[in-house]
Amino acid sequence: MPKLVVILLSLLILSCAEKAPEDVSSVDPINWSARTVALSASDSLVNGSSYLSVYSQVYSETEHRTHNLTATISMRNTNLKDTIYIRKAEYFDTHGNAIRTYFDAPIYIKPMETVEIVIDEKDPAGGTGANFLFDWSIKPSSHEPYFEGVMISTSGQQGLSFTTKGIRVE
C-alpha cells in the first residue's frame, strides 16, 4: 500500500510539471518556395516598397506591463486579372533591428488572392513598435498590393483587436 501511494504521488507531481515551450509557428508557416517565381528584367514591371506597422505587444495599464498579441499580416492582390509579385518580406522590431526575412525571392499572388503571415501571440520579439517592409513588382497597369495587419488577443471574456494598413514608401 505505501508503495502505491508513493507511485501515485510521483505521477501526480510529474503530471503537474511545466510543459516545454513549443516552437513558434510564425517563423515558417507556409512553404514559400512553392510560390517562388523567376522575374526577368524584360518583364517591364514597376517596383515599389510598402511599410506596415505591426504590434506583437501593446502596453497595458503602464509602460512597464505589456500584453502579447497575435498578428495576421495580409498581402492582398486587388487586381481582377493581373498577378502581382512580392520580392521580399522583412520583419523588424521596435528598435529597427531585422528579426527575420520571411522570403527574399519573388513570390506570386494570383488575382484577388490573399497570402498571410501569422505572428504567434507567444512570439513577442517585435515588441510594441514592430513593422514590416515589403518589396514588390507589378505590371504598369496593375493596382499596387494591399498590405494589412490584424492584431488580436483574448483572455476570458475580454478581447482586444485592431488593424493597420500599409503605405507605399518607395
Side-chain angles (χ1 to χ4, degrees):
M1 182 72 162
K3 286 183 183 182
L4 181 60
V5 172
V6 170
I7 291 172
L8 288 175
L9 283 174
S10 297
L11 287 174
L12 181 63
I13 291 170
L14 290 174
S15 68
C16 294
E18 190 173 321
K19 291 183 179 180
E22 297 175 19
D23 289 336
V24 176
S25 68
S26 59
V27 175
D28 190 21
I30 68 171
N31 185 359
W32 296 113
S33 62
R35 292 190 155 273
T36 302
V37 295
L39 299 178
S40 69
S42 64
D43 288 338
S44 67
L45 298 172
V46 174
N47 296 322
S49 293
S50 293
Y51 167 88
L52 177 69
S53 58
V54 177
Y55 300 84
S56 58
Q57 295 180 321
V58 291
Y59 293 110
S60 178
E61 296 181 23
T62 85
E63 66 182 290
H64 303 291
R65 182 174 176 193
T66 56
H67 192 79
N68 293 350
L69 304 170
T70 300
T72 303
I73 312 311
S74 294
M75 300 174 279
R76 298 174 180 264
N77 182 352
T78 62
N79 294 283
L80 288 172
K81 296 181 182 178
D82 293 331
T83 296
I84 63 171
Y85 307 96
I86 311 298
R87 296 189 324 273
K88 186 175 186 177
E90 193 165 15
Y91 183 42
F92 297 86
D93 70 10
T94 301
H95 307 290
N97 301 312
I99 296 173
R100 68 183 67 102
T101 299
Y102 283 87
F103 53 88
D104 60 1
I107 65 162
Y108 69 89
I109 302 179
K110 298 182 301 186
M112 300 306 295
E113 183 180 25
T114 300
V115 176
E116 297 171 330
I117 295 170
V118 177
I119 310 290
D120 292 352
E121 184 173 331
K122 62 184 174 186
D123 180 6
T128 58
N131 49 74
F132 269 86
L133 191 61
F134 300 96
D135 295 333
W136 46 265
S137 298
I138 58 173
K139 291 179 182 176
S141 60
S142 294
H143 298 291
E144 295 178 5
Y146 181 70
F147 300 99
E148 185 175 43
V150 178
M151 280 60 64
I152 187 167
S153 182
T154 57
S155 178
Q157 293 182 344
Q158 296 288 330
L160 170 68
S161 65
F162 57 95
T163 64
T164 58
K165 294 180 181 180
I167 59 168
R168 184 175 180 165
V169 292
E170 278 186 29

